[in-house]
Amino acid sequence: MTNNKTTGRKRAAALMAMLLASSMTGAAFAAVAPGAPGQAATGAYAGKTGIGTAYHAYDAQAGKAVPSRVWFSLAKGVVTETMYGLIHEVQLRELKLAIQGEGFLDVEDKDTDSTTSYLDVDAAGRPRSLAYKVVNKARNGKYEIEKQVFTDPAADTLVVRVTVRALKGAAVTPYLLVDPQMAGTGGGDKADMVDGALHAYEGDRHLVVKAAAGFKAASVGFVGASDGLTQLQKAGKLDADYTTTGDKAGNVALAGALAPVTGEATFDIVVGFGDSAKAADAAATATLKRGHDAVLAAYDAGWEGYQAKLAPLPDLAKVAMDGGKLLYASALVLKAQEDKTHPGALIASLSAPWGDTQKADKPATGYKAVWPRDFYQCAMALLALGDSETPKAALTYLKTIQVGSKTPGNHGDGGWFLQKTHVDGTPEWVGVQLDQTAMPLMLAWRLWRNGVISDADVTALYASMVKPAADFLVKGGTAGIGWNKATIRPPVTQQERWEEQAGNSPSTTAAVIAGLAAAAELAGQAGDEASVKRYYAAADTYSAGLEAATVTTNGQLAPKGSKAGYYLRIAPTGQPNARTPLAVRNGQQALTEDAYVDGGFLELVRYGVRAPSDPVIKSSLAVLDDETLPENLRVKYTFHFAGDPTAYPGWRRYGNDGYGEDRATGANYAVSGSMTPTQRGRVWPLLTGERGHYELALAAAKAGGAKPAEVEAIRATYVRAMERFANQGLMIPEQVWDGVGSDGGRGYKAGAGTDSATPLAWAHAEYVKLLRSLHDGGVWDLYAPVAVRYATKP
């Protein structure tokens, strides 16, 4: 017996020594977190109150990789989508805190009230940098969380300084909860602990989360089964044995306990990204070594330096109604939505519409992609701000997405620009939208006339980009990419600006005419006189046939006694009195063409194709503004905000729009998995800016130009409306709530953003351009050769 006991003790000691030695050398004997693959993953909430990334000047990018390729967003008081690599490559879905106290376990995005503000503002309170302060106050009154969020300009890292305040005397314990979404998906990740840090990865995409003071406890697991929050909810503590998710991939989550707090404590958290665990860890370590203050100072200095280059900014701020706060934020937002690997690649939004209801089992860009139309709006707004470098880079970039012999999978005619692409030019959607082929030509002409590109640049650009695009706008051609084998005959477009219908569109035709006029002027500079005549001849033909192809004189929405008719949203056959049904889109009943009206015809005035006093324009406005139309066909809505007696106007995209929340349930199409007849598209703030531009054009066309009182009225109505539509983080939404139907308990307020997508770059661009237009006394997007040739004719 004695010998057996002695032998047993020796074996136990030997085993303990072996385990200790194994732990010292990094061998893994800890328990594997159970529950693979975890719950199905979704994307992140789309209603952002802030976005951020480090600023890098173009000279810093020449010939080398940008040192920081990280973007982040904020929503509901927490860090949401964080991208590393290309601007659409999501690696982190969410980073937030759980707070444990006596008798409660809170999660900050559900149990606190949040405010978002900017860390770096000038004396007038205008943002100078995309660094944020987020304050989350507990609804139970027992704690408060303050966070500072930004990135390191010198490393691929996200920085979060967390200050926790215990307000009732009793200690609270904060837990960091991290939900990775490596390589853009939530279902193929693995996780483990690396030297006390949290690590997640998929393929060659890695993130490492480090706390300056370390974690008191840490754990990894599968969402809904063994993740940290589930552990806290079930056992009240983290299971330290779960240091790896093992060989099975899934929807993983990371958790780290911070020190208990009595009074106040501050914790510095850094998330490093890289193509290996070593690289991600090194990035995080380097940022921690530089320290919070030094990194924040460098981050702020970059953005302050960018704003300092924008000479018109102070004068434009005088036109704003909020002292310039939204303007200064918009300048930062527009520049932040440019990819850093592909300079000049401007995306539509750092969000995915209704993302938290969308499956995340496959990589998806959402709105983090290039549409030439949104792209044009952003480039023109940046030019209006005094930034000539970014629009010039944007123009150079456009060749990347122009269809030609080198376009992947192309077997058709070239010259047109792809509908939607990744920033590296990878085609995603391949519909032909003629306005998106015209707008690059308009941008090129404007940059030339503004001295951003030289005569020699025009000559070089003409043969490679301008002429192929203009030729397509004249003769059309046959698409040959993916599903699209259609033959396009301009000005009939396969898709109009809302990407849903084919036919004759007033807004598309406006851009095509302006694009051809721009191309003709560029052709003249390049010495191609034959093409000058050809492009103007085509534009003349399209202008002469505009009303016959798009104006109904027997439409059901015409006011009584009206003889001028009104512009249709689109005429599928070019016979606007035929009452042809439109194609079914967004689950809506296919109504006849005369039931649809939108504000797209105002682009005819914006670009100079028609005068603002044109009788058809004015009669169309009467239909657009008719608030007595049936609910599904009504476009205009009026909003009132607390403490402000002014009635602010807003417009939906068009009557019978279904791209939005369900009237009955408040949910969007991703919840039900299909489009439903009860969906409803809401009011788009950018359309208020478009209307403001029209009102300015109308006033400016009078003898002596716009009178001061008229300018003030536009500022007080349209500028102020757009400022009112922005959220507390000065982000302008794609859509705001119009009050029709149920919001499903989401708490939407009239005039405030829905869950579709915020911020929308196009909306910020429209706001900036409206301020510039008012400052200049004329529409920024007006093309003089177009206006002289068409709008001045009787």
Side-chain angles (χ1 to χ4, degrees), residues 440-451:
L441 306 180
M442 296 156 64
L443 177 63
W445 181 86
R446 189 57 183 268
L447 294 182
W448 174 49
R449 297 311 300 166
N450 281 51

PDB file of all heavy atoms in Angstrom, residues 440-451:
ATOM      1  N   PRO A 440     -19.137  60.766 -64.810  1.00  0.00           N
ATOM      2  CA  PRO A 440     -17.680  60.894 -64.903  1.00  0.00           C
ATOM      3  C   PRO A 440     -17.236  61.933 -65.927  1.00  0.00           C
ATOM      4  O   PRO A 440     -16.226  62.613 -65.728  1.00  0.00           O
ATOM      5  CB  PRO A 440     -17.243  59.477 -65.297  1.00  0.00           C
ATOM      6  CG  PRO A 440     -18.271  58.587 -64.688  1.00  0.00           C
ATOM      7  CD  PRO A 440     -19.557  59.346 -64.874  1.00  0.00           C
ATOM      8  N   LEU A 441     -17.984  62.066 -67.012  1.00  0.00           N
ATOM      9  CA  LEU A 441     -17.665  63.077 -68.016  1.00  0.00           C
ATOM     10  C   LEU A 441     -17.910  64.484 -67.465  1.00  0.00           C
ATOM     11  O   LEU A 441     -17.129  65.412 -67.711  1.00  0.00           O
ATOM     12  CB  LEU A 441     -18.506  62.858 -69.268  1.00  0.00           C
ATOM     13  CG  LEU A 441     -18.438  61.464 -69.895  1.00  0.00           C
ATOM     14  CD1 LEU A 441     -19.319  61.393 -71.131  1.00  0.00           C
ATOM     15  CD2 LEU A 441     -17.005  61.095 -70.226  1.00  0.00           C
ATOM     16  N   MET A 442     -18.986  64.612 -66.708  1.00  0.00           N
ATOM     17  CA  MET A 442     -19.297  65.903 -66.089  1.00  0.00           C
ATOM     18  C   MET A 442     -18.218  66.291 -65.088  1.00  0.00           C
ATOM     19  O   MET A 442     -17.788  67.446 -65.021  1.00  0.00           O
ATOM     20  CB  MET A 442     -20.672  65.816 -65.418  1.00  0.00           C
ATOM     21  CG  MET A 442     -21.807  65.580 -66.415  1.00  0.00           C
ATOM     22  SD  MET A 442     -23.285  64.796 -65.690  1.00  0.00           S
ATOM     23  CE  MET A 442     -23.815  66.045 -64.543  1.00  0.00           C
ATOM     24  N   LEU A 443     -17.771  65.311 -64.309  1.00  0.00           N
ATOM     25  CA  LEU A 443     -16.719  65.569 -63.333  1.00  0.00           C
ATOM     26  C   LEU A 443     -15.421  65.985 -64.031  1.00  0.00           C
ATOM     27  O   LEU A 443     -14.743  66.933 -63.605  1.00  0.00           O
ATOM     28  CB  LEU A 443     -16.487  64.332 -62.469  1.00  0.00           C
ATOM     29  CG  LEU A 443     -15.365  64.428 -61.438  1.00  0.00           C
ATOM     30  CD1 LEU A 443     -15.659  65.516 -60.411  1.00  0.00           C
ATOM     31  CD2 LEU A 443     -15.156  63.078 -60.744  1.00  0.00           C
ATOM     32  N   ALA A 444     -15.079  65.286 -65.102  1.00  0.00           N
ATOM     33  CA  ALA A 444     -13.850  65.603 -65.831  1.00  0.00           C
ATOM     34  C   ALA A 444     -13.878  67.039 -66.351  1.00  0.00           C
ATOM     35  O   ALA A 444     -12.893  67.790 -66.228  1.00  0.00           O
ATOM     36  CB  ALA A 444     -13.656  64.625 -66.984  1.00  0.00           C
ATOM     37  N   TRP A 445     -15.009  67.433 -66.954  1.00  0.00           N
ATOM     38  CA  TRP A 445     -15.116  68.792 -67.474  1.00  0.00           C
ATOM     39  C   TRP A 445     -14.988  69.817 -66.356  1.00  0.00           C
ATOM     40  O   TRP A 445     -14.274  70.824 -66.492  1.00  0.00           O
ATOM     41  CB  TRP A 445     -16.463  68.976 -68.189  1.00  0.00           C
ATOM     42  CG  TRP A 445     -16.631  70.354 -68.766  1.00  0.00           C
ATOM     43  CD1 TRP A 445     -16.201  70.792 -69.985  1.00  0.00           C
ATOM     44  CD2 TRP A 445     -17.244  71.487 -68.128  1.00  0.00           C
ATOM     45  NE1 TRP A 445     -16.514  72.119 -70.156  1.00  0.00           N
ATOM     46  CE2 TRP A 445     -17.155  72.577 -69.032  1.00  0.00           C
ATOM     47  CE3 TRP A 445     -17.850  71.685 -66.897  1.00  0.00           C
ATOM     48  CZ2 TRP A 445     -17.664  73.842 -68.730  1.00  0.00           C
ATOM     49  CZ3 TRP A 445     -18.348  72.942 -66.580  1.00  0.00           C
ATOM     50  CH2 TRP A 445     -18.258  74.004 -67.497  1.00  0.00           C
ATOM     51  N   ARG A 446     -15.648  69.542 -65.218  1.00  0.00           N
ATOM     52  CA  ARG A 446     -15.625  70.505 -64.116  1.00  0.00           C
ATOM     53  C   ARG A 446     -14.214  70.654 -63.543  1.00  0.00           C
ATOM     54  O   ARG A 446     -13.768  71.767 -63.230  1.00  0.00           O
ATOM     55  CB  ARG A 446     -16.603  70.086 -63.029  1.00  0.00           C
ATOM     56  CG  ARG A 446     -16.799  71.141 -61.954  1.00  0.00           C
ATOM     57  CD  ARG A 446     -17.267  72.465 -62.577  1.00  0.00           C
ATOM     58  NE  ARG A 446     -17.397  73.507 -61.583  1.00  0.00           N
ATOM     59  CZ  ARG A 446     -18.529  73.770 -60.931  1.00  0.00           C
ATOM     60  NH1 ARG A 446     -19.620  73.064 -61.199  1.00  0.00           N
ATOM     61  NH2 ARG A 446     -18.575  74.734 -60.045  1.00  0.00           N
ATOM     62  N   LEU A 447     -13.502  69.560 -63.415  1.00  0.00           N
ATOM     63  CA  LEU A 447     -12.142  69.637 -62.892  1.00  0.00           C
ATOM     64  C   LEU A 447     -11.231  70.394 -63.863  1.00  0.00           C
ATOM     65  O   LEU A 447     -10.331  71.121 -63.444  1.00  0.00           O
ATOM     66  CB  LEU A 447     -11.598  68.234 -62.620  1.00  0.00           C
ATOM     67  CG  LEU A 447     -12.296  67.444 -61.502  1.00  0.00           C
ATOM     68  CD1 LEU A 447     -11.620  66.097 -61.300  1.00  0.00           C
ATOM     69  CD2 LEU A 447     -12.332  68.219 -60.187  1.00  0.00           C
ATOM     70  N   TRP A 448     -11.475  70.228 -65.136  1.00  0.00           N
ATOM     71  CA  TRP A 448     -10.706  70.964 -66.142  1.00  0.00           C
ATOM     72  C   TRP A 448     -10.990  72.457 -66.051  1.00  0.00           C
ATOM     73  O   TRP A 448     -10.074  73.279 -65.992  1.00  0.00           O
ATOM     74  CB  TRP A 448     -11.040  70.419 -67.525  1.00  0.00           C
ATOM     75  CG  TRP A 448     -10.431  71.167 -68.667  1.00  0.00           C
ATOM     76  CD1 TRP A 448      -9.116  71.545 -68.809  1.00  0.00           C
ATOM     77  CD2 TRP A 448     -11.112  71.627 -69.832  1.00  0.00           C
ATOM     78  NE1 TRP A 448      -8.941  72.207 -70.012  1.00  0.00           N
ATOM     79  CE2 TRP A 448     -10.147  72.269 -70.658  1.00  0.00           C
ATOM     80  CE3 TRP A 448     -12.436  71.543 -70.270  1.00  0.00           C
ATOM     81  CZ2 TRP A 448     -10.480  72.845 -71.884  1.00  0.00           C
ATOM     82  CZ3 TRP A 448     -12.766  72.107 -71.500  1.00  0.00           C
ATOM     83  CH2 TRP A 448     -11.797  72.745 -72.290  1.00  0.00           C
ATOM     84  N   ARG A 449     -12.271  72.802 -66.008  1.00  0.00           N
ATOM     85  CA  ARG A 449     -12.638  74.214 -65.972  1.00  0.00           C
ATOM     86  C   ARG A 449     -12.192  74.876 -64.672  1.00  0.00           C
ATOM     87  O   ARG A 449     -11.968  76.082 -64.626  1.00  0.00           O
ATOM     88  CB  ARG A 449     -14.152  74.390 -66.151  1.00  0.00           C
ATOM     89  CG  ARG A 449     -14.674  73.899 -67.495  1.00  0.00           C
ATOM     90  CD  ARG A 449     -13.877  74.428 -68.665  1.00  0.00           C
ATOM     91  NE  ARG A 449     -13.885  75.892 -68.747  1.00  0.00           N
ATOM     92  CZ  ARG A 449     -13.063  76.611 -69.493  1.00  0.00           C
ATOM     93  NH1 ARG A 449     -12.123  76.013 -70.209  1.00  0.00           N
ATOM     94  NH2 ARG A 449     -13.151  77.930 -69.510  1.00  0.00           N
ATOM     95  N   ASN A 450     -12.071  74.108 -63.598  1.00  0.00           N
ATOM     96  CA  ASN A 450     -11.625  74.648 -62.314  1.00  0.00           C
ATOM     97  C   ASN A 450     -10.112  74.613 -62.162  1.00  0.00           C
ATOM     98  O   ASN A 450      -9.588  74.960 -61.109  1.00  0.00           O
ATOM     99  CB  ASN A 450     -12.270  73.891 -61.151  1.00  0.00           C
ATOM    100  CG  ASN A 450     -13.691  74.341 -60.886  1.00  0.00           C
ATOM    101  OD1 ASN A 450     -14.514  74.393 -61.791  1.00  0.00           O
ATOM    102  ND2 ASN A 450     -13.982  74.665 -59.638  1.00  0.00           N
ATOM    103  N   GLY A 451      -9.414  74.172 -63.210  1.00  0.00           N
ATOM    104  CA  GLY A 451      -7.970  74.172 -63.173  1.00  0.00           C
ATOM    105  C   GLY A 451      -7.342  73.048 -62.391  1.00  0.00           C
ATOM    106  O   GLY A 451      -6.130  73.080 -62.116  1.00  0.00           O
TER     107      GLY A 451
END
